[in-house]
Amino acid sequence: MSSDRFLIVVHQKTSTPGRVGQLLEERGYRLDRRCPCIGDDLPENLKDYAGIAVFGGPMSANDCQRLDGIRYEIDFTKRALDADVPYLGLCLGAQILSRALGSTVSPHPEKHAEIGYTEVVPTELAEREGLFEHSTHFYQWHREGFEVPAGAELLATGTNSFPNQAFRYGDKAYGLQFHPEITIDMIHRWNMGGGHRLGVPGGQPKRAQVKGWELFHDGVRKWTLSLFDRLGLHPVRAMQSAAE
């Protein structure tokens, strides 16, 4: 392994990488948090990083004409794919990955949303690979969805209003419509700031979201660790020992 640094890209001053960040730190990675939408630069030399995770946010991946940070991230993502480092796009991050690969992102035609825990359905490819062995229920909070880019593999579909839930491009880039990083504190915080959205079609009441956390959070934790393994993001000490 060339580095134990992991790039974290967020979209608001107070945003955190949640449980994804916690699990990476538990594996020995040092998180380098950047927020381009408030002026942070993104690194030029991506070989200095073990991987990249781009998180969600209230803006749209279509805001590249209005927000310099989003346009910068789309261009950066193209460079990240060329560098062949593990890339994890979550919600807005997946939509940015889709845009970077030439595909489209759009709101639901009837203004539906997905808020709360929903079930995703693995494709035959994902079933063969055991990608969703540990969980098929994940937390959602979004009003837009992505189309699967040309050359990418669809990994999971949705049971509600947004059919595309996960895709993979190459071996190391994953786009996930859902939020494996969610913590119970984040659920409380997001509902405090965005509770007015719960009344739209597809919005779950907060009590249902909390119940979903109680039922599914341990499976999602195991699922996330399994995905890290697939991306080669093993515990740093184990990899250092193997190299010695």
Side-chain angles (χ1 to χ4, degrees):
M1 183 187 64
S2 59
S3 176
D4 62 356
R5 296 174 71 194
F6 200 98
L7 181 63
I8 299 293
V9 181
V10 296
H11 294 95
Q12 292 178 288
K13 185 176 182 180
T14 58
S15 297
T16 72
R19 186 163 51 182
V20 164
Q22 294 168 7
L23 293 175
L24 285 167
E25 288 183 317
E26 288 176 11
R27 289 198 163 193
Y29 293 94
R30 296 181 296 123
L31 306 186
D32 180 2
R33 179 186 177 281
R34 310 282 184 103
C35 186
C37 286
I38 62 171
D40 289 350
D41 289 332
L42 293 170
E44 290 293 328
N45 186 4
L46 294 173
K47 293 183 179 179
D48 291 339
Y49 293 86
I52 303 164
V54 182
F55 289 80
M59 57 284 292
S60 169
N62 295 318
D63 284 340
C64 50
Q65 300 302 319
R66 184 174 67 88
L67 297 176
D68 292 341
I70 296 298
R71 181 170 62 252
Y72 181 25
E73 286 187 43
I74 291 173
D75 291 339
F76 170 80
T77 297
K78 297 174 184 177
R79 193 156 50 83
L81 294 172
D82 289 339
D84 197 35
V85 297
Y87 181 102
L88 187 57
L90 309 178
C91 197
L92 175 58
Q95 295 166 4
I96 287 172
L97 176 60
S98 179
R99 288 289 318 275
L101 289 168
S103 197
T104 58
V105 171
S106 58
H108 189 274
E110 298 178 6
K111 299 184 179 180
H112 289 200
E114 275 187 309
I115 299 174
Y117 281 87
T118 69
E119 183 179 10
V120 305
V121 179
T123 61
E124 289 186 9
L125 171 63
E127 286 278 16
R128 289 198 303 271
E129 295 185 8
L131 281 169
F132 290 87
E133 172 187 0
H134 297 292
S135 185
T136 55
H137 289 78
F138 297 90
Y139 190 78
Q140 311 265 8
W141 192 300
H142 65 98
R143 295 175 295 164
E144 294 187 313
F146 55 73
E147 294 297 320
V148 178
E153 299 168 311
L154 180 65
L155 300 175
T157 60
T159 57
N160 293 310
S161 300
F162 293 86
N164 298 323
Q165 290 291 329
F167 70 89
R168 179 173 60 205
Y169 184 78
D171 294 328
K172 297 182 180 178
Y174 284 76
L176 311 175
Q177 185 60 75
F178 44 87
H179 289 277
E181 81 277 18
I182 201 71
T183 65
I184 190 63
D185 288 342
M186 291 168 70
I187 288 176
H188 290 309
R189 190 165 66 248
W190 290 9
N191 275 268
M192 184 178 297
H196 59 286
R197 301 191 187 281
L198 302 185
V200 302
Q204 294 177 13
K206 182 181 176 182
R207 64 182 180 275
Q209 299 174 41
V210 172
K211 184 62 176 179
W213 163 264
E214 295 170 355
L215 291 171
F216 303 122
H217 79 93
D218 189 57
V220 175
R221 179 187 64 82
K222 293 175 182 175
W223 181 88
T224 304
L225 290 172
S226 177
L227 181 60
F228 287 173
D229 289 341
R230 291 176 184 276
L231 289 168
L233 300 170
H234 303 293
V236 170
R237 289 179 183 174
M239 288 189 288
Q240 290 173 340
S241 298
E244 293 170 357

